[in-house]
Amino acid sequence: MDKAFEPRIIAFCCNWCAYAGADMAGVSRLKMPPTFRIIRVMCTGRVDPLFIIHAFVQGADGVIVAGCHPGDCHYISGNLKAKQRINFLKGLLKQTGLDKRLEMYYVSAGEAYRFQEVIEEFTERIRKLGPNPLKKLPPPKKEGNKREVLHTELLWIFKGLGITEIQPWQPSEEEIIPGFGTPVYDPDKCVGCGACYNNCPENVIMLEDVDGKRKIRHYYWSCITCRTCEEICPQDAIKVEEGFDLTAFLQQTVHDDIELPLVKCRICGKFFAPEPMVKEAKEKEIPLELLDVCPDCRKELIGKELVELLGHRGL
Ligand code: FES
């Protein structure tokens, strides 16, 4: 054990219980190691998993989340949600060893001695573990949306610790937290209209027209389960399944969902729309001359017809 090592611990404390407990410990002049920095949050339910990952990336030796006892949360179940997130993160970080540097505690406003005990116990644990090995590395750039930042930082942690082979990890039903999932397509219903791709706020879905085929794919387990695709799909062809797979998430595995043949424009010969979509439109009795022409040629045709019509009327 390095005697000179003084851990730097980040403690996310809920305003109503743990923070008040810490305050009381201070007012009561209880002796505590000066190793922790408190970040006050209104409820532990506010602690996003990304806050914790970010603390480790920035070199924290340990992270505590401290909140109200079960049943006492001022927002009913924020502490239970936080506990679920901590369990999820612990599982996810197991291979990195950072899971031992993370803990959740329940401390009420009147438990000044408990707060002191928690800090002493956790500081001792971190002292034994030594400094966060990621400390020496320059942190990665924070770019993109929250999910992208989580992906970048997690990948950086694994690489930084020299882990080349990521062990598969999937949370159990109790461990899984809301906000991770994957869209599942019904190939019998999907007509390839692209509404899911056009409306996905996280750019999880990809759409490509190549070699006369429309391909729809998505990044596995990068979905935030907002269910926009599910709601927007006119064919009711998508269901979002909750779940998470660490390897697929870190490797940004692409899942092939749909591949549909495209029809050619009868005028310019360009591929422009998936066959099932055109077939469906035909069934809706949309005039055939509008269905086998691409949007560019269609505009031209309509323009010509308009000019003709106006000419007939001497305009
Ligand atoms: Fe304290 Fe929710 S208010 S944990």
Side-chain angles (χ1 to χ4, degrees):
M1 187 179 76
D2 183 358
K3 282 233 169 79
F5 168 55
E6 272 305 311
R8 265 197 306 169
I9 294 163
I10 299 295
F12 292 99
C13 293
C14 115
N15 179 59
W16 305 103
C17 286
Y19 186 82
D23 198 28
M24 187 179 267
V27 170
S28 314
R29 296 177 179 264
L30 301 184
K31 266 194 164 179
M32 279 179 283
T35 48
F36 65 99
R37 301 284 178 274
I38 291 184
I39 296 180
R40 176 159 54 159
V41 286
M42 289 309 283
C43 172
T44 51
R46 176 66 186 90
V47 181
D48 193 295
L50 190 56
F51 296 174
I52 295 168
I53 297 292
H54 199 59
F56 285 129
V57 166
Q58 293 296 322
D61 297 304
V63 179
I64 288 174
V65 177
C68 309
H69 285 275
D72 288 349
C73 171
H74 284 50
Y75 306 95
I76 303 171
S77 59
N79 51 355
L80 304 181
K81 285 181 184 144
K83 179 76 182 148
Q84 205 184 1
R85 285 181 200 151
I86 299 300
N87 290 345
F88 174 81
L89 279 174
K90 275 176 160 288
L92 188 148
L93 294 170
K94 203 168 181 62
Q95 202 188 348
T96 65
L98 291 176
D99 60 317
K100 297 187 193 84
R101 297 174 180 272
L102 171 65
E103 211 55 74
M104 170 135 188
Y105 295 97
Y106 300 118
V107 181
S108 78
E111 291 181 318
Y113 285 99
R114 164 126 179 99
F115 188 83
Q116 179 196 36
E117 200 180 277
V118 159
I119 294 298
E120 279 177 346
E121 177 198 296
F122 193 73
T123 300
E124 207 34 50
R125 185 203 293 190
I126 301 299
R127 272 212 187 102
K128 281 186 187 144
L129 288 172
N132 174 356
L134 297 164
K135 233 177 203 171
K136 300 169 226 135
L137 309 169
K141 272 193 192 148
K142 247 171 107 182
E143 272 171 352
N145 58 29
K146 258 169 70 175
R147 191 49 58 83
E148 282 160 350
V149 173
L150 180 66
H151 173 256
T152 312
E153 296 197 339
L154 272 179
L155 203 61
W156 178 87
I157 288 177
F158 277 80
K159 276 192 185 156
L161 293 172
I163 302 169
T164 46
E165 224 171 282
I166 299 155
Q167 278 164 18
W169 177 76
Q170 285 178 330
S172 63
E173 245 174 68
E174 296 82 55
E175 281 171 327
I176 183 68
I177 57 169
F180 289 97
T182 200
V184 178
Y185 288 77
D186 182 340
D188 296 330
K189 287 186 181 170
C190 177
V191 294
C193 69
C196 51
Y197 160 75
N198 287 322
N199 290 283
C200 175
E202 296 292 309
N203 300 328
V204 172
I205 300 169
M206 291 164 271
L207 184 145
E208 240 187 333
D209 288 345
V210 271
D211 302 330
K213 283 189 184 113
R214 172 158 291 181
K215 291 179 183 174
I216 298 178
R217 299 179 295 163
H218 76 272
Y219 289 115
Y220 230 8
W221 306 114
S222 290
C223 159
I224 59 164
T225 66
C226 67
R227 300 186 189 275
T228 307
C229 56
E230 218 178 81
E231 282 155 24
I232 209 102
C233 177
Q235 304 296 325
D236 199 18
I238 309 172
K239 287 277 163 289
V240 172
E241 265 181 20
E242 294 205 357
F244 182 79
D245 182 307
L246 181 62
T247 324
F249 180 69
L250 289 183
Q251 290 171 351
Q252 292 262 280
T253 307
V254 170
H255 187 263
D256 294 321
D257 296 301
I258 298 290
E259 191 175 300
L260 298 167
L262 293 169
V263 291
K264 272 185 183 173
C265 168
R266 79 172 142 84
I267 298 176
C268 67
K270 200 168 68 185
F271 287 111
F272 74 99
E275 251 177 49
M277 204 169 115
V278 174
K279 197 171 150 220
E280 210 226 349
K282 276 181 191 164
E283 279 161 15
K284 285 187 179 158
E285 293 177 3
I286 293 173
L288 191 64
E289 60 273 21
L290 291 179
L291 293 176
D292 52 4
V293 178
C294 74
D296 293 340
C297 294
R298 200 178 303 153
K299 264 188 234 160
E300 241 176 76
L301 270 185
I302 293 173
K304 275 183 197 161
E305 275 175 25
L306 204 61
V307 168
E308 225 169 89
L309 187 75
L310 294 175
H312 277 311
R313 297 198 173 180
L315 294 167

